[in-house]
Amino acid sequence: MTMQRQPIPDSRRSDGLMSLSILQVLGIVWRRKWIIAACIVVALSAAIVANGVITPRYTATASLIVEPRQQTVIEIESVISSLPVSLETMQSEVQVIKSPTVAKRVVDSLGLAALAEFNPALEESDPGIADEIKSAVKGLFQPVIAWLRDEPANRRGVELAQAPGTWDTPPDGQRRGSSETRVVGRFLANLDVAIQGSSRVIEVSYTTDDPLLSQQIANAVAQAYIQDQVNLKSQALAGANTFLSGRIEQLRTDVVEAEHSVEAFRETTPIISEDDGTLLAEQVYALNRKKMDAQLELDTINERLARLQAAMRAGGRTAFDGVASTVIDELRLEEMRLRQEESQLMSTLGPKHPNVVSLRSELAKRRQQMREEAQRLLGGLQNEQEIALQRLGSINASLANLQQDSDTLNGAQLKLRALEREAEATRQVFESFLNRYKETSQLDYDQAQSRILSLASIPTGPSFPKTKLNYAIAFVLACGVGALIILALELSVRGYRAPEELQDGTGLPVLAVIPRVSAGKVLGTGLGRFLESEPNSAFAEAHKNVYAGLRVDRRQFSLGNVLLITSSVPNEGKSIFSRSLCAALANSGLNVLLIDCDLRASEEERRLGLSDFVLGDCPLEQAVKIDEESTLSMLAPGTRVEDPLAVLRSPKLAKFLKAASQQYDLVCLDAPPVLAVSDAATLAEMADQTVVIVRWMKTPRHFVAATLQQLRRCHAHVSGVVMSQAKVTRSAKSNPYMVGYADRSFRKYY
């Protein structure tokens, strides 16, 4: 019982084309360089034909500059402001140059409407096949279009035609306007206006079939733009003059009316001089001063009256303290003297002494005198208060009359000043308009804010087609298309390109890569002669490498020498590999037995063989044939049988293989494809080692995976895989999928 090989861990999975290095990608391109070369030849040929067929076009360019500084002779900016130099202004000026107004002026000045290049009406109508097909299709769908659009459109047209003021343009004028629109449209289609970077320079380019005409049109557009700016300022000046002249007449009338209003008001208002106002102001001021004095006098009297009344109401010794009166002061001094005497007599004589009683009588008399004096003073103050009130009332009445006269005078003066200011303002506006009119009426301004920086010259070469650019584009497109074709071809490869991919995809070692050789060397008897004549060729050495790998695997797992060779599908070189391997080993001196186990579709000549030995009475000596040149023992499939599995599952075959493994150094079983029939799976149970053949870039990857999975289910020991029919190039740089011995440095060994 053999030990089944465990798959090598898939430490890195190949990502196909994405895993290639730059050198490998260049190698793919070099290997398929004829595809890119063919694309380049086709593209350059097409570019040469196109450059020869296309009518050359010539572009002439004139340059304009927008000046931020202007010569200031008069303040023209007060009439029309200068252009601010900004990006928005520059873009606006570009649109002005491309406007239909400038275009129509150029068309009229150069008479371009007489050229068929600009006037579609002058072109010879020669409808082509495309136009005829278009007309036929349009006529086919005309009833549907008429049904969808005709009736509502007609009704709308009738309504518009009956509306007043519509369709006033005569038919000839409509046709002429339509023709001019088409001419201007064609003219603008070839005009290109662009700002030069971030500068204030505008380039005006025009393209036609005639270099001289391109120059003339480019210069005419630049000059028309300059003239348009001059006309704009002239029109602004003319409009300003018209406005000023009409406005001056109106202002003159307004000035006369305002002055008449001032004079009329002066006549109806007799006292409105400045002296009258000053006199009234002085009188009012004097009365106000008198009023203040009278009020102050009244306040003083009221204060004295209040103190006197308070003193009269108060009693005791402190009475009449705040009263200003000489009589009362003398009486109070006398009272104080008497009180001192009373105090002295009281201390010596007592209160009932006649002197004390007489003294008290004197004190009472003095107090009565003070009361009488206070009453007299009170009457006098009240009289003064009444007189002061009457005086203050008289002053207030006089002041009110003067204030009324002052208000009347002030109102008249305010109205007069308002009328005078209105008349003065109207006069100033009139004088300002009159001065401006005198300036603008004598002005003839012909300075534009832009100027021509350089006139267009006659182009020396065509601007279209750009021959070198077309060749470059054709070359780049050809390379791109060629690269896409190469990519599609590489992606269409379903098999493995390199042994590294095969090893990563299967997890098994790649025992060898068999280089592709011509069919005449490996078919029939040619294989023996080829191996005999070139025993050290790369083809033979690859087979020897397979056997060397099998020996290592055999020693590692203690395996026998029964080898099963199979593949996923037919035509992968399995049988040729089996014969080549056995022949190469036999030529090197090994005793090898090759058994062709393909009992169903073997290409070997039908003779006595395996089926006759297992199922019949054919002796082994008659079934096994020995090649005289290579001493290789071969056992053919034998007579065709209805049930090949009866032969392959026969105990006799198992016993024979066990005996043959003892007699031969290698017993090789050439089995049918695994995915075609189950014969290979049956034989894998009796084999010690199994090798799967994978054709270079042909065997689909999922077929290989299915083959290995089926063999593992049969507990087959898959020692490795062999990549067959690989195309080995002469240089490693030209093929990223080459094997190691493809380099020139290995050629001296073969």
Side-chain angles (χ1 to χ4, degrees):
M1 180 177 180
T2 60
M3 181 182 297
Q4 185 179 5
R5 168 184 286 274
Q6 297 297 326
I8 299 175
D10 191 7
S11 59
R12 60 180 182 90
R13 287 293 179 186
S14 175
D15 295 328
L17 294 177
M18 299 302 296
S19 63
L20 300 180
S21 64
I22 296 179
L23 292 178
Q24 290 176 331
V25 172
L26 294 177
I28 295 174
V29 175
W30 178 255
R31 183 162 52 87
R32 300 183 183 270
K33 56 184 175 295
W34 298 112
I35 296 177
I36 296 181
C39 294
I40 291 175
V41 170
V42 173
L44 290 180
S45 301
I48 292 172
V49 172
N51 289 334
V53 172
I54 297 175
T55 303
R57 306 274 289 173
Y58 298 88
T59 301
T61 302
S63 298
L64 298 168
I65 183 170
V66 179
E67 294 285 1
R69 298 181 297 273
Q70 295 291 318
Q71 182 180 3
T72 306
V73 180
I74 63 168
E75 294 185 359
I76 184 64
E77 293 186 358
S78 60
V79 179
I80 177 171
S81 61
S82 299
L83 294 174
V85 181
S86 62
L87 178 60
E88 293 78 6
T89 302
M90 298 298 293
Q91 292 176 347
S92 300
E93 293 305 297
V94 168
Q95 298 303 319
V96 170
I97 298 174
K98 297 168 65 176
S99 64
T101 303
V102 176
K104 188 175 183 303
R105 184 178 295 117
V106 175
V107 169
D108 294 339
S109 63
L110 297 180
L112 299 180
L115 300 179
E117 183 178 356
F118 299 94
N119 194 346
L122 301 179
E123 293 180 347
E124 296 181 359
S125 58
D126 187 10
I129 299 176
D131 296 332
E132 294 179 357
I133 295 175
K134 181 179 178 181
S135 300
V137 173
K138 187 175 181 180
L140 181 64
F141 290 96
Q142 189 65 32
V144 179
I145 297 174
W147 180 73
L148 293 174
R149 300 177 54 186
D150 194 20
E151 185 175 351
N154 287 342
R155 287 203 303 267
R156 181 60 177 168
V158 171
E159 293 175 0
L160 291 175
Q162 293 175 353
T166 58
W167 309 111
D168 293 336
T169 305
D172 293 340
Q174 295 178 12
R175 286 192 295 269
R176 184 168 57 256
S178 177
S179 177
E180 290 179 354
T181 302
R182 288 195 296 269
V183 171
V184 171
R186 283 203 175 184
F187 176 85
L188 292 176
N190 297 323
L191 177 63
D192 182 32
V193 183
I195 303 173
Q196 185 67 23
S198 58
S199 65
R200 292 176 283 104
V201 177
I202 300 176
E203 290 188 346
V204 180
S205 302
Y206 202 85
T207 303
T208 63
D209 299 340
D210 185 359
L212 180 59
L213 182 60
S214 299
Q215 179 213 21
Q216 293 175 349
I217 293 178
N219 291 334
V221 171
Q223 293 169 357
Y225 167 67
I226 298 298
Q227 188 61 39
D228 182 73
Q229 284 192 343
V230 174
N231 293 342
L232 177 62
K233 292 191 175 182
S234 299
Q235 292 174 3
L237 289 174
N241 290 335
T242 303
F243 168 75
L244 291 174
S245 62
R247 186 59 179 159
I248 285 173
E249 295 299 327
Q250 180 64 35
L251 289 175
R252 182 179 286 109
T253 304
D254 294 342
V255 169
V256 173
E257 291 179 355
E259 292 178 349
H260 286 172
S261 298
V262 172
E263 295 300 330
F265 183 77
R266 286 181 181 276
E267 293 176 358
T268 56
T269 306
I271 305 176
I272 55 173
S273 64
E274 293 293 336
D275 296 337
D276 296 336
T278 303
L279 180 59
L280 283 175
E282 292 176 355
Q283 292 177 356
V284 170
Y285 176 76
L287 285 178
N288 282 326
R289 291 297 300 271
K290 291 181 179 181
K291 178 181 178 181
M292 292 174 61
D293 294 340
Q295 184 67 45
L296 180 60
E297 182 180 0
L298 178 62
D299 293 338
T300 303
I301 294 173
N302 290 334
E303 183 181 0
R304 291 172 59 194
L305 182 62
R307 284 200 304 269
L308 180 60
Q309 290 176 348
M312 292 176 65
R313 289 194 298 270
R317 298 179 179 179
T318 59
F320 305 105
D321 286 344
V323 179
S325 173
T326 304
V327 176
I328 292 178
D329 291 340
E330 292 177 355
L331 292 174
R332 291 190 65 189
L333 290 175
E334 183 66 21
E335 181 185 13
M336 291 175 63
R337 186 182 63 77
L338 292 176
R339 285 188 181 277
Q340 290 177 355
E341 292 179 359
E342 179 186 12
S343 175
Q344 292 176 357
L345 292 177
M346 286 287 293
S347 61
T348 56
L349 300 178
K352 296 183 179 180
H353 191 275
N355 293 336
V356 174
V357 173
S358 175
L359 188 59
R360 287 180 178 174
S361 176
E362 288 293 333
L363 284 174
K365 184 178 179 180
R366 298 293 184 273
R367 288 184 185 138
Q368 180 63 32
Q369 290 176 350
M370 284 190 291
R371 285 195 291 271
E372 292 176 354
E373 181 63 21
Q375 189 66 35
R376 185 185 65 79
L377 291 175
L378 179 63
L381 289 176
Q382 288 177 347
N383 292 332
E384 292 179 2
Q385 182 184 29
E386 183 177 357
I387 294 171
L389 287 174
Q390 292 177 357
R391 180 184 176 191
L392 182 62
S394 176
I395 293 173
N396 286 333
S398 300
L399 186 61
N401 294 331
L402 287 177
Q403 191 66 41
Q404 183 177 3
D405 295 340
S406 178
D407 293 341
T408 302
L409 180 60
N410 290 336
Q413 289 179 344
L414 289 176
K415 186 174 181 181
L416 177 61
R417 283 195 292 270
L419 292 175
E420 289 176 345
R421 284 195 301 270
E422 182 178 356
E424 182 63 24
T426 306
R427 186 182 300 105
Q428 291 178 358
V429 173
F430 170 74
E431 292 176 354
S432 174
F433 272 73
L434 184 59
N435 293 332
R436 182 58 54 85
Y437 176 74
K438 291 179 180 179
E439 291 179 358
T440 57
S441 61
Q442 299 178 3
L443 180 63
D444 186 11
Y445 194 78
D446 58 351
Q447 181 183 4
Q449 188 170 354
S450 302
R451 64 181 177 87
I452 297 178
L453 188 62
S454 63
L455 291 173
S457 59
I458 300 177
T460 57
S463 60
F464 179 83
K466 298 182 182 298
T467 306
K468 295 181 180 179
L469 179 60
N470 290 345
Y471 290 153
I473 293 175
F475 179 80
V476 173
L477 290 178
C479 292
V481 172
L484 291 177
I485 294 175
I486 293 175
L487 178 62
L489 292 176
E490 292 295 325
L491 293 177
S492 65
V493 176
R494 299 183 298 169
Y496 292 97
R497 302 179 180 88
E500 292 81 8
E501 289 187 9
L502 181 58
Q503 180 171 335
D504 293 339
T506 60
L508 296 171
V510 178
L511 300 177
V513 177
I514 309 301
R516 181 187 301 173
V517 295
S518 61
K521 294 181 179 181
V522 296
L523 293 179
T525 58
L527 177 61
R529 291 194 300 270
F530 172 65
L531 294 176
E532 184 179 0
S533 61
E534 299 183 21
N536 295 324
S537 63
F539 183 82
E541 290 297 328
H543 291 81
K544 295 176 184 178
N545 288 337
V546 174
Y547 184 67
L550 292 175
R551 290 182 60 186
V552 173
D553 186 67
R554 188 185 304 169
R555 286 195 300 268
Q556 181 179 359
F557 293 97
S558 301
L559 303 174
N561 58 353
V562 178
L563 174 64
L564 175 67
I565 298 176
T566 184
S567 63
S568 300
V569 293
N571 301 323
E572 294 191 350
K574 166 183 61 62
S575 298
I576 294 177
F577 171 77
S578 301
R579 291 197 299 270
S580 302
L581 175 64
C582 294
L585 296 178
N587 288 334
S588 63
L590 296 179
N591 191 11
V592 182
L593 173 62
L594 173 61
I595 303 176
D596 190 350
C597 299
D598 192 353
L599 304 178
R600 304 173 189 263
S602 176
E603 296 179 356
E604 292 290 334
E605 180 183 357
R606 289 295 175 177
R607 63 176 185 271
L608 295 177
L610 181 62
S611 61
D612 301 297
F613 169 71
V614 174
L615 298 180
D617 297 332
C618 178
L620 183 60
E621 293 77 6
Q622 296 182 5
V624 177
K625 301 296 181 182
I626 299 176
D627 186 9
E628 296 178 357
E629 297 179 356
S630 62
T631 67
L632 172 64
S633 300
M634 295 181 292
L635 182 59
T639 306
R640 190 181 299 275
V641 295
E642 295 182 358
D643 187 9
L645 292 179
V647 178
L648 301 179
R649 293 177 180 175
S650 172
K652 186 177 180 179
L653 177 60
K655 187 182 297 184
F656 167 69
L657 292 177
K658 185 175 181 181
S661 65
Q662 301 295 328
Q663 181 180 353
Y664 293 94
D665 295 324
L666 178 66
V667 178
C668 182
L669 304 179
D670 183 8
V674 174
L675 300 182
V677 292
S678 61
D679 299 358
T682 302
L683 292 171
E685 298 177 359
M686 296 180 285
D688 298 310
Q689 293 176 293
T690 302
V691 174
V692 178
I693 306 300
V694 178
R695 187 174 178 179
W696 177 70
M697 297 182 69
K698 293 294 183 181
T699 307
R701 303 187 182 205
H702 61 281
F703 283 6
V704 177
T707 298
L708 295 177
Q709 185 178 5
Q710 187 169 344
L711 290 174
R712 291 188 181 107
R713 283 200 300 265
C714 300
H715 302 285
H717 181 86
V718 182
S719 299
V721 292
V722 174
M723 180 175 285
S724 64
Q725 302 185 40
K727 183 179 180 180
V728 180
T729 59
R730 298 180 61 185
S731 174
K733 294 182 180 179
S734 63
N735 185 3
Y737 310 124
M738 57 152 283
V739 294
Y741 48 76
D743 192 85
R744 290 186 176 183
S745 61
F746 290 84
R747 296 178 64 190
K748 61 184 179 181
Y749 293 98
Y750 307 130

